[in-house]
Amino acid sequence: MGQILIRNLDDEVIAKLKLNAEAASTSLEQYLRDMLTAKVMSDKEAFLAFAKGMRESSRPSDLDPTDLIREDRDR
């Protein structure tokens, strides 16, 4: 497992995070771990939904490229 050190956080931000962790009956470290994990997973889910939509909107076409080439050549 990796570690992250975040420097220069505002004291007020740290105090609010500690209060949020306390309200969730968990340590600050676990609270931040859960919050970061949830954020990353929601981004992943949003990307997968976007990719699925793109895949569905770009289904293979029934067009025959030969016909398109002939049509273009005849112009």
Side-chain angles (χ1 to χ4, degrees), residues 27-46:
S27 68
L28 177 59
E29 184 177 348
Q30 185 61 47
Y31 178 78
L32 293 171
R33 189 180 300 117
D34 293 343
M35 192 169 56
L36 290 169
T37 300
K39 174 63 177 159
V40 168
M41 295 310 284
S42 70
D43 288 349
K44 180 181 176 182
E45 291 169 10

Side-chain angles (χ1 to χ4, degrees), residues 39-75:
K39 174 63 177 159
V40 168
M41 295 310 284
S42 70
D43 288 349
K44 180 181 176 182
E45 291 169 10
F47 172 76
L48 292 175
F50 170 76
K52 182 180 179 183
M54 291 300 294
R55 203 171 30 251
E56 289 176 357
S57 69
S58 59
R59 297 255 181 223
S61 171
D62 292 342
L63 292 175
D64 181 5
T66 307
D67 292 338
L68 294 173
I69 292 170
R70 286 183 181 139
E71 182 181 318
D72 192 46
R73 185 181 55 208
D74 291 342
R75 283 190 217 170

